[in-house]
Amino acid sequence: MHPPSKLLVSLMNEPSSNQRPEVVWHEQSVSRADRERQLAQRGCVIWFTGLSGCGKSTIANALDHKLSQLGAVTSLLDGDNIRHHLCAGPDRLASEHGETFANRFGLGFGAIDREENIRRIGAVAELFASTGIITLTAFVSPYARDRQRVRQLIESVGRPGDFVEVFVDTPLETCEQRDPKGLYKKARAGEIQNFTGISDPYEAPAAPEIHLQTADKSPEALAIEIVQYLKDQGLLIREGGEA
Ligand SMILES: Nc1ncnc2c1ncn2[C@@H]1O[C@H](COP(=O)(O)OS(=O)(=O)O)[C@@H](OP(=O)(O)O)[C@H]1O
Ligand SMILES: Nc1ncnc2c1ncn2[C@@H]1O[C@H](COP(=O)(O)OP(=O)(O)O)[C@@H](O)[C@H]1O
C-alpha cells in the first residue's frame, strides 16, 4: 500500500469550509493605553444627533477648532461628507461599480439604509476612538436603536463614558426656516421622500450626555458647553489654550 502522496495529505488536512476557524482577532503590540498616553487624551466619540439644519456640522466644526486649539487630536466625521464615499448612495456608485453593486451597497434614507449608515460609521468611530482620537460625528441618526448600538460598541470596546451623545435640540420650525440646502422646501413639495422631521421620524434622545438648547446661542457658545463637559469628565486630560 503506497503511503498517501504529500498532496493528498495536505488536502486531507485542509479544514473544510464549516471547520474553517472564525475570523481571528489579532491583538496589537501597541495598546490603546499606549496611544492615549502619547496623545495625553482619552479616545472617545462625541456623537451629534438632530434634525437636518439643526446645527450639527456647524457646532461640531466649532468644537473641532476649539479642541485643536487646546492641542487635542481629533477627527470629524460628517454625514453629508461620508455619504460621498464610505456611505455613498446608489447614484454615486453605479457608474464605477455597476447597477447591481450600487443597488446592493449604495445607501439612501430608508430606515434600513440609515441603520447601515450608522452601523458603518459607528464601527469607524470605534476604530478612531480606540487609537486615542477624540472623534466627532455629525449625523442625523434619527433612530434611538441605531445610536444605542453605537454606544454599546464604543463603551464595550472602551469604557462607560466614552460615548458622548449630543442632542442638538433645534425646533423643526427653526430648521425649516434655515433650510440652507432647500431640502425642507423639496420635502414639503413631495420631491424628497423619507425626509427626517417631515415624512420620516426623528427619535429625540431620552437621556443624552449633553442636551444643547440652541435657541439664541451661537455655535461657539454651544461648543464651549461641550468643551466644559469634556473637561469635567476628564476626557480632556491636556489643559491650556483658550476654550
Ligand atoms: N431624506 C433625508 N432625510 C434626512 N437628511 C437627508 C435626506 N436626504 C438628504 N439628506 C441630507 O443628508 C444628510 C443626512 O445624512 P445622515 O447620514 O446624517 O443621515 S442619517 O444619519 O443616515 O439619518 C442631511 O445633512 P444635514 O442637513 O447636515 O443633517 C441632509 O442634508
Ligand atoms: N447656533 C446657531 N445659531 C444660528 N444659526 C446656526 C446655528 N448653528 C447652525 N446655524 C446655521 O444653520 C444652518 C444649518 O447648520 P448646519 O450645521 O449645516 O446643520 P446640520 O449639520 O445639522 O444640517 C447653517 O446655515 C448654519 O450657519
Side-chain angles (χ1 to χ4, degrees):
M1 173 90 170
H2 293 291
S5 69
K6 282 186 178 176
L7 171 62
L8 183 58
V9 169
S10 68
L11 288 175
M12 286 162 62
N13 293 331
E14 177 68 23
S16 65
S17 59
N18 62 1
Q19 293 169 349
R20 190 162 293 131
E22 287 305 307
V23 173
V24 177
W25 183 267
H26 289 278
E27 289 303 330
Q28 298 177 355
S29 53
V30 179
S31 70
R32 174 171 181 162
D34 295 333
R35 301 179 197 275
E36 290 176 334
R37 215 173 357 262
Q38 280 177 335
L39 295 172
Q41 63 185 45
R42 171 83 188 168
C44 62
V45 173
I46 304 173
W47 189 277
F48 291 80
T49 175
L51 296 170
S52 174
C54 70
K56 300 183 296 297
S57 300
T58 303
I59 300 164
N61 271 289
L63 176 63
D64 199 20
H65 183 62
K66 290 188 179 306
L67 292 175
S68 175
Q69 285 179 315
L70 288 170
V73 177
T74 61
S75 181
L76 171 54
L77 306 173
D78 188 295
D80 267 323
N81 298 355
I82 296 296
R83 279 179 178 271
H84 280 70
H85 302 296
L86 176 62
C87 296
D91 297 349
R92 287 183 181 277
L93 296 176
S95 57
E96 176 73 22
H97 297 276
E99 290 293 329
T100 304
F101 180 99
N103 291 330
R104 178 172 172 190
F105 296 110
L107 298 182
F109 290 89
I112 204 164
D113 288 41
R114 295 184 200 245
E115 178 179 346
E116 174 59 3
N117 183 42
I118 298 309
R119 186 195 69 81
R120 288 185 197 174
I121 210 61
V124 171
E126 183 276 314
L127 292 174
F128 282 20
S130 293
T131 55
I133 295 170
I134 297 175
T135 308
L136 284 59
T137 56
F139 292 76
V140 172
S141 52
Y143 298 109
R145 189 178 62 171
D146 295 348
R147 302 191 300 260
Q148 182 57 29
R149 284 170 169 153
V150 177
R151 176 189 291 274
Q152 284 167 345
L153 171 64
I154 299 301
E155 297 193 342
S156 62
V157 172
R159 66 184 183 194
D162 285 352
F163 182 85
V164 179
E165 187 174 44
V166 181
F167 175 29
V168 184
D169 189 0
T170 304
L172 173 63
E173 296 72 26
T174 306
C175 297
E176 193 161 1
Q177 280 165 10
R178 292 172 175 173
D179 201 11
K181 304 168 199 165
L183 296 178
Y184 279 96
K185 185 177 179 185
K186 288 181 178 174
R188 286 290 185 198
E191 295 167 25
I192 298 178
Q193 308 307 312
N194 301 108
F195 194 78
T196 306
I198 303 296
S199 48
D200 230 43
Y202 177 77
E203 298 171 355
E209 276 72 21
I210 301 174
H211 185 159
L212 291 182
Q213 306 277 4
T214 63
D216 306 320
K217 290 182 186 173
S218 71
E220 291 69 26
L222 293 162
I224 288 172
E225 285 185 33
I226 302 171
V227 170
Q228 193 53 55
Y229 173 90
L230 297 176
K231 285 181 176 177
D232 295 346
Q233 298 300 313
L235 289 167
L236 263 189
I237 303 162
R238 184 196 308 266
E239 287 297 330
E242 286 301 309

